[in-house]
Structure formats: structure tokens, C-alpha cells
């Protein structure tokens, strides 16, 4: 079939116009409004604005509570990204090597991702509830710990982190399985003949070959950890106890909708956007150096 070529640039712009219009209305305009609002202090439930310039940013940079939220967010995001990538890679590799019932294992691995975040949060709430959880008693018996993450910050951080990792594994497994299936079978057969162990085969053969997919997933998991974990925090801990799970996106929500401080919340959203943007840039630059693109 002959490939149709458009030789007029105006036609390309016309085809892109719907996307540009939607992006301008629902992305760029709200972002510009957030930047503008971050320069004001809002009073009387947001009905009045007082110009403060960079006052909101200055307050955040000197706030110990906000510093604590940043530290919690960084620790939370690092553990989530590393945990999701490592567990998903092992699960994907095991499923890839299974010859019987592979579809059943794949469905079992990805079904948590099919749940909406709020539903997944509620499910996990009853799995590990201090008195009602179905896994609470076995965990206490095996590890000898008293589970009470309603009042202990460290336990609350662990519970939220595990729930967030559990939810995201399915998304990663889908992409990793697809990438592994594109690796030529001959490479695995040669590794078998050379007596290469399963772990070494994963690290030295498969990981370099699927590195573009791994880089993509690191970027997506970073966005997930910073922006898409709000429902778990809200349902499980609401930022507590003692701010142990008060990540930046949840702190932003509380300032905007609990304390009606929309100017401060807008400044937090701008800072969060810049932080994630810098991380995205760094990850994509690293991908050019370490990813293998055939």
C-alpha cells in the first residue's frame, strides 16, 4: 500500500488543532492560573485576594512542616519507585519463564491495577486493619510485632508504601512482559547452553535489552508516586499520624480544601510541578546514556 504524504504544513497544524485546543483549555490555562494565584494570599474562603508576590514561596521555604513533608515525599517516592520496579521485574520474569498457565499468573499479577485507587485503598484498609484485618493476626504471629498503624507513624508509612506498591505492580508487569516477549528466543537458548544462571540471565541479558521500557516505567512510576497516591493517603492515614505520611500532594490538598488557603496551595503545586519536571529531565537524560535502543 502506497504511503500518503501530506506536502502542506497547514494540514498538519489543522490535524493538531483539536489536541492543542484541549491542551490549552484543560492544561496550560489552569497551570497559568495556578502560577498567578500563587502570588496572592486568599482570604474569606478564597473570595478575596491580597497581593503577596513571592510571600507564599518564602513561607514554604522557611516552614519546618513543609520541609518535613518534602523529606517524607522523597523517602516515600524512592521506596515506591525502587520497590515497584524490583518486584515487577522479578514477577514479570517468573511469568515469562512459566510455560503452563501463563495467562492465569498474568491476570493474578495485574488485577490490583484494574481497581480504582479509592477501591484499592479500602481493600487494603481491611487487609491490614489493626483489629479487623485478615492478615493482621498472621503478621503479628510471624514477626512478633503489634500492628497499630493508626497511632504509630513508622507503621503507617510502611502500610501506605506497601499498598501503593501493590497497586502499581500490575501496570509495570504489563509493559515488562511485552518487552520480554520481544527478546529473541535464541538469546535464552544460547544462555542455557552456556550454563548461565536464571538471575544472571535476567541481569546481564534481558535487562539491557528491555532498558527503554524500564526507563519509561521509572518515569511513569515517579509521576505515580508524586501525584497518583493521594487516594491511599486520604483513605488510610489522612497524612498522619504526626505527619508521617503527609506527602506534598496531600499537604497541598489540605491547604486548599481544609484551610481554604488557595494561594499557598497554588505555590505548593508550582513547586511540586518543578520538582517532578526536574526529575523527569534527569531521568530522560540518563536514558540516553544507559538505555539500549537496538
Amino acid at each position: 500500500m502506497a504511503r500518503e504524504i501530506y506536502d502542506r504544513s497547514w494540514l498538519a497544524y489543522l490535524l493538531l488543532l483539536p489536541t492543542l485546543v484541549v491542551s490549552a483549555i484543560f492544561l496550560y490555562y489552569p497551570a497559568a492560573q495556578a502560577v498567578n494565584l500563587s502570588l496572592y494570599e486568599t482570604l474569606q474562603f478564597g473570595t478575596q485576594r491580597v497581593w503577596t508576590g513571592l510571600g507564599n514561596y518564602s513561607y514554604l521555604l522557611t516552614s519546618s512542616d513543609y520541609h518535613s513533608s518534602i523529606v517524607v515525599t522523597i523517602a516515600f517516592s524512592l521506596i515506591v519507585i525502587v520497590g515497584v520496579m524490583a518486584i515487577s521485574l522479578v514477577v514479570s520474569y517468573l511469568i515469562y519463564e512459566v510455560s503452563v498457565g501463563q495467562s492465569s499468573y498474568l491476570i493474578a499479577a495485574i488485577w490490583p491495577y484494574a481497581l480504582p485507587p479509592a477501591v484499592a485503598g479500602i481493600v487494603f484498609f481491611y487487609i491490614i486493619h489493626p483489629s479487623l484485618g485478615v492478615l493482621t493476626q498472621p503478621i503479628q504471629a510471624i514477626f512478633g510485632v503489634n500492628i497499630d498503624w493508626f497511632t504509630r507513624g513508622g507503621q503507617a508509612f510502611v502500610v501506605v508504601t506497601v499498598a501503593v506498591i501493590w497497586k502499581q505492580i500490575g501496570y509495570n508487569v504489563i509493559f515488562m512482559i511485552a518487552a520480554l516477549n520481544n527478546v529473541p528466543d535464541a538469546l535464552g537458548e544460547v544462555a542455557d547452553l552456556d550454563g548461565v544462571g536464571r538471575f544472571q540471565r535476567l541481569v546481564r541479558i534481558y535487562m539491557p535489552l528491555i532498558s527503554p521500557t524500564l526507563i519509561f516505567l521509572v518515569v511513569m512510576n515517579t509521576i505515580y508516586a508524586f501525584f497518583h497516591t493521594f487516594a491511599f493517603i486520604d483513605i488510610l492515614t489522612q497524612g498522619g499520624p504526626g505527619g508521617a505520611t503527609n506527602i506534598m500532594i496531600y499537604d497541598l490538598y489540605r491547604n486548599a480544601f481544609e484551610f481554604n488557603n488557595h494561594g499557598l496551595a497554588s505555590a505548593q503545586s508550582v513547586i511540586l510541578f518543578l520538582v517532578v519536571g526536574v526529575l523527569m529531565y534527569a531521568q530522560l537524560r540518563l536514558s540516553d546514556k544507559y538505555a539500549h535502543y537496538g
Side-chain angles (χ1 to χ4, degrees):
M1 179 182 294
R3 183 181 179 186
E4 187 176 1
I5 300 175
Y6 299 100
D7 57 356
R8 297 178 180 180
S9 59
W10 65 266
L11 183 57
Y13 291 118
L14 181 63
L15 294 173
L16 287 172
L17 185 59
T19 300
L20 295 176
V21 170
V22 172
S23 299
I25 294 175
F26 295 102
L27 179 62
Y28 300 122
Y29 177 72
Q33 286 291 88
V35 174
N36 179 52
L37 187 58
S38 70
L39 304 177
Y40 291 86
E41 180 183 1
T42 54
L43 304 173
Q44 298 184 355
F45 303 102
T47 58
Q48 292 186 3
R49 297 182 182 181
V50 177
W51 171 263
T52 61
L54 298 177
N56 288 322
Y57 295 97
S58 176
Y59 171 79
L60 290 173
L61 293 177
T62 57
S63 170
S64 59
D65 291 339
Y66 192 62
H67 295 167
S68 175
S69 179
I70 292 175
V71 172
V72 170
T73 304
I74 293 174
F76 173 77
S77 300
L78 286 175
I79 296 173
V80 168
I81 294 168
V82 174
V84 168
M85 293 297 296
I87 297 174
S88 300
L89 186 60
V90 172
V91 171
S92 301
Y93 185 58
L94 293 176
I95 294 175
Y96 171 73
E97 291 222 317
V98 167
S99 57
V100 179
Q102 188 182 65
S103 298
S104 301
Y105 291 112
L106 182 59
I107 292 172
I110 67 177
W111 79 264
Y113 179 68
L115 297 174
V119 176
I122 293 173
V123 169
F124 209 83
F125 179 83
Y126 287 107
I127 288 177
I128 199 66
H129 187 281
S131 58
L132 304 175
V134 295
L135 292 182
T136 302
Q137 293 296 331
I139 292 175
Q140 290 182 150
I142 294 173
F143 297 101
V145 296
N146 181 26
I147 295 180
D148 186 13
W149 49 274
F150 286 169
T151 59
R152 298 179 181 178
Q155 288 191 12
F157 184 86
V158 171
V159 167
V160 172
T161 304
V162 171
V164 167
I165 291 174
W166 168 72
K167 174 69 172 64
Q168 186 69 355
I169 287 175
Y171 177 85
N172 286 255
V173 167
I174 294 171
F175 284 91
M176 289 181 182
I177 287 289
L180 288 170
N181 285 329
N182 286 329
V183 176
D185 294 336
L187 292 176
E189 295 171 358
V190 171
D192 284 336
L193 293 174
D194 291 340
V196 179
R198 298 179 69 183
F199 179 75
Q200 287 188 336
R201 193 187 313 170
L202 172 63
V203 174
R204 297 185 178 183
I205 298 176
Y206 289 110
M207 286 183 63
L209 292 177
I210 66 172
S211 54
T213 300
L214 298 180
I215 293 294
F216 164 76
L217 290 174
V218 168
V219 173
M220 298 307 296
N221 290 332
T222 302
I223 296 173
Y224 169 72
F226 275 88
F227 292 112
H228 297 167
T229 54
F230 171 85
F232 288 95
I233 302 292
D234 192 45
I235 291 173
L236 294 174
T237 64
Q238 297 184 338
T245 59
N246 189 33
I247 62 174
M248 294 170 71
I249 190 70
Y250 194 77
D251 194 49
L252 184 161
Y253 160 78
R254 295 186 64 193
N255 280 321
F257 298 104
E258 290 187 9
F259 308 130
N260 291 304
N261 198 340
H262 301 293
L264 186 64
S266 296
Q268 287 180 287
S269 69
V270 173
I271 293 175
L272 186 58
F273 172 78
L274 292 176
V275 169
V276 176
V278 170
L279 288 175
M280 297 298 101
Y281 176 78
Q283 290 170 351
L284 292 175
R285 292 289 295 176
L286 284 175
S287 71
D288 293 336
K289 185 175 181 180
Y290 294 106
H292 173 75
Y293 292 96

